[in-house]
C-alpha cells in the first residue's frame, strides 16, 4: 500500500477487508483523477445518492437482469461513497455538512431498497402487510448505522486529536446548529443532534469513560491510554461491527435477491442484525467499564 492511499483512508483499523482491498482502492483511483477537477466531495456524495436510489427500483422486479443491474448500481454507489471521503482527505475540502450528507446517503439507498422489496412481495403474495417489516427494517437500519458510525468515529478520536475532530457530543452539535443561519443546514444539524443524542443514550458506560478522561486530561489523553483503547476497540469492531456495515448486510441481500427469497432479508435485518447490535453494545459497554476501572487506579 502506498503512502498516499493510506492517507486517503480514515484509519486502517476501521476498514474491513472488502473495503480495504476492493472498494477503497477503486475509490482512491477515482479520487486521484477528480482532485484535479472542479468536482467537490459533496457533489460526489449527492451523485452517489441518485445512483444508489436506482437499486430499489431494480429490486422491485422479479427479474434476474434487473436485479443484477440493481446490485451493480449499489456497488457503484458504495464506491462513490468511498470516493467522497478519500477526495476530501486528499484535497483538504471537508465540511460538517458533507459528513452528515455522507451518513444519510446510505440510509436513503436502503430506505428505497426496503420499499422496492415490499412492493415486490406485495405483488407476489397479494398483501401490503410486507410494508410492516419494511418499516421496521428501515428503523433498524438507521439505528444500526448510527451506532456503527459512532464506534468508528470514536476509534478515530482515540487514535489522535487530528483524526478525531469529527467526534462530537450532542452539545457541540447543538451549538453549531444554533450558529447557523442557512435553513437547510440548520435542518440537517437538527437531525444530526437527534442522531448524536441517540448514540449517547445507548452507550451510558462509554459516556462515563469519556467524561472521566475529559475531566482529567481534556482532549489530550496519554498515548498509552489511546493505544490500549484502540487495540481493544479494533478487535471489537472486527468481531462484531463488521456485520453491521454495508458489506455485512449487502452480501446477504444480494444472495437473497438473486435467489428470489427476498422476504428472508427482512428477518435477517430485524432479528439477526438487531441481535448482533444488542450484543455489540453490551460487549462494548463492558469493555468501557473495564478500561475505566483500570485507568482510574493509575
Amino acid at each position: 500500500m502506498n503512502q498516499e492511499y493510506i492517507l486517503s483512508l480514515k484509519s486502517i483499523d476501521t476498514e474491513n477487508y472488502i473495503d480495504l482491498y476492493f472498494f477503497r482502492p477503486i475509490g482512491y483511483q477515482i479520487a486521484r483523477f477528480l482532485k484535479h477537477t472542479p468536482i467537490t466531495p459533496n457533489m460526489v456524495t449527492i451523485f452517489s445518492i441518485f445512483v444508489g436510489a436506482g437499486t430499489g427500483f431494480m429490486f422491485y422486479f422479479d427479474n434476474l437482469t434487473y436485479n443484477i443491474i440493481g446490485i451493480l448500481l449499489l456497488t457503484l454507489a458504495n464506491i462513490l461513497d468511498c470516493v467522497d471521503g478519500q477526495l476530501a482527505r486528499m484535497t483538504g475540502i471537508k465540511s460538517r455538512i458533507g459528513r452528515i450528507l455522507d451518513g444519510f446517503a446510505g440510509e436513503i439507498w436502503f430506505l428505497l431498497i426496503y420499499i422496492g422489496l415490499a412492493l415486490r412481495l406485495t405483488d407476489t403474495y397479494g398483501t401490503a402487510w410486507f410494508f410492516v417489516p419494511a418499516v421496521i427494517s428501515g428503523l433498524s437500519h438507521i439505528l444500526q448505522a448510527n451506532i456503527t458510525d459512532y464506534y468508528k468515529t470514536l476509534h478515530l478520536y482515540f487514535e489522535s486529536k487530528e483524526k478525531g475532530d469529527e467526534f462530537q457530543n450532542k452539545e457541540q452539535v447543538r451549538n453549531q446548529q444554533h450558529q447557523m443561519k442557512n435553513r437547510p443546514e440548520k435542518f440537517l444539524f437538527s437531525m444530526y443532534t437527534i442522531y448524536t443524542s441517540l448514540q449517547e443514550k445507548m452507550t451510558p458506560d462509554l459516556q462515563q469513560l469519556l467524561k472521566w478522561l475529559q475531566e482529567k486530561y481534556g482532549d489530550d489523553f496519554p498515548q498509552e491510554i489511546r493505544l490500549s483503547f484502540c487495540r481493544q476497540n479494533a478487535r471489537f469492531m472486527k468481531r462484531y461491527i463488521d456485520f453491521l456495515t454495508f458489506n455485512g448486510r449487502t452480501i446477504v441481500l444480494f444472495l437473497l435477491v438473486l435467489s428470489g427469497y427476498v422476504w428472508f432479508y427482512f428477518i435477517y435485518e430485524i432479528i439477526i442484525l438487531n441481535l448482533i447490535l444488542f450484543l455489540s453494545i453490551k460487549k462494548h459497554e463492558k469493555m468501557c467499564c473495564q478500561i475505566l476501572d483500570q485507568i482510574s487506579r493509575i
Side-chain angles (χ1 to χ4, degrees):
M1 296 183 190
N2 67 55
Q3 189 64 20
E4 187 182 34
Y5 170 61
I6 293 173
L7 292 174
S8 76
L9 306 174
K10 284 185 178 180
S11 167
I12 288 181
D13 284 347
T14 60
E15 304 288 351
N16 59 49
Y17 292 114
I18 298 175
D19 281 337
L20 196 58
Y21 294 105
F22 179 70
F23 286 111
R24 296 295 183 187
I26 297 173
Y28 166 66
Q29 295 300 332
I30 297 173
R32 280 187 66 195
F33 172 76
L34 292 180
K35 74 176 182 178
H36 302 297
T37 73
I39 295 174
T40 66
N42 284 355
M43 291 179 186
V44 177
T45 302
I46 293 169
F47 182 56
S48 77
I49 292 173
F50 285 100
V51 173
T55 302
F57 178 73
M58 292 298 171
F59 282 0
Y60 162 70
F61 298 99
D62 187 5
N63 178 286
L64 183 60
T65 301
Y66 282 14
N67 294 165
I68 290 173
I69 292 172
I71 290 171
L72 293 175
L73 285 174
L74 192 57
T75 301
L76 176 57
N78 195 52
I79 290 171
L80 293 171
D81 186 53
C82 294
V83 172
D84 60 21
Q86 289 172 288
L87 182 61
R89 285 182 283 277
M90 291 168 72
T91 60
I93 303 173
K94 299 180 182 180
S95 68
R96 297 290 181 192
I97 293 298
R99 183 177 182 275
I100 295 171
L101 274 175
D102 186 50
F104 286 158
E107 292 172 11
I108 293 171
W109 303 340
F110 279 90
L111 171 65
L112 295 173
I113 287 171
Y114 299 144
I115 291 173
L117 295 181
L119 287 170
R120 175 172 170 171
L121 290 166
T122 297
D123 284 355
T124 302
Y125 294 98
T127 174
W129 278 104
F130 286 104
F131 279 93
V132 174
V135 170
I136 298 172
S137 292
L139 295 173
S140 298
H141 180 101
I142 290 171
L143 183 60
Q144 293 158 15
N146 187 349
I147 297 300
T148 299
D149 180 67
Y150 191 52
Y151 285 148
K152 289 193 172 190
T153 311
L154 172 73
H155 191 89
L156 299 178
Y157 178 63
F158 273 88
E159 272 200 6
S160 69
K161 288 191 290 184
E162 295 74 24
K163 287 186 176 182
D165 63 354
E166 291 182 357
F167 186 79
Q168 294 180 301
N169 60 42
K170 64 183 177 184
E171 294 305 323
Q172 291 171 316
V173 177
R174 190 176 286 120
N175 289 337
Q176 287 184 327
Q177 178 199 349
H178 290 157
Q179 293 168 10
M180 291 181 170
K181 312 232 186 260
N182 183 294
R183 286 192 176 182
E185 289 185 351
K186 205 172 182 70
F187 173 74
L188 278 175
F189 265 78
S190 68
M191 297 297 292
Y192 193 52
T193 302
I194 297 171
Y195 200 74
T196 308
S197 299
L198 183 59
Q199 291 170 335
E200 294 182 4
K201 192 174 184 65
M202 296 189 67
T203 56
D205 293 320
L206 169 58
Q207 303 314 311
Q208 283 293 109
L209 172 62
L210 290 172
K211 182 180 178 182
W212 189 93
L213 286 169
Q214 287 162 355
E215 286 177 351
K216 188 172 179 65
Y217 303 109
D219 284 330
D220 193 20
F221 306 159
Q223 188 66 8
E224 61 189 89
I225 291 177
R226 289 184 181 276
L227 290 173
S228 175
F229 182 89
C230 286
R231 185 169 54 251
Q232 295 181 65
N233 199 59
R235 189 163 55 245
F236 158 79
M237 287 191 293
K238 297 298 180 190
R239 289 178 179 174
Y240 299 96
I241 293 300
D242 279 358
F243 289 101
L244 303 174
T245 62
F246 175 89
N247 297 321
R249 59 172 29 91
T250 52
I251 290 172
V252 175
L253 173 63
F254 292 166
L255 290 173
L256 292 173
V257 168
L258 292 175
S259 66
Y261 295 101
V262 295
W263 55 269
F264 186 78
Y265 184 74
F266 291 140
I267 296 175
Y268 178 71
E269 179 72 59
I270 296 168
I271 298 177
I272 298 175
L273 291 186
N274 277 334
L275 179 59
I276 292 172
L277 175 67
F278 172 78
L279 291 173
S280 298
I281 294 172
K282 188 174 180 181
K283 289 286 184 182
H284 199 270
E285 290 289 279
K286 182 179 179 181
M287 182 188 84
C288 289
C289 284
Q290 291 172 342
I291 292 173
L292 180 57
D293 184 57
Q294 291 167 4
I295 62 178
S296 60
R297 295 178 185 176
I298 298 174

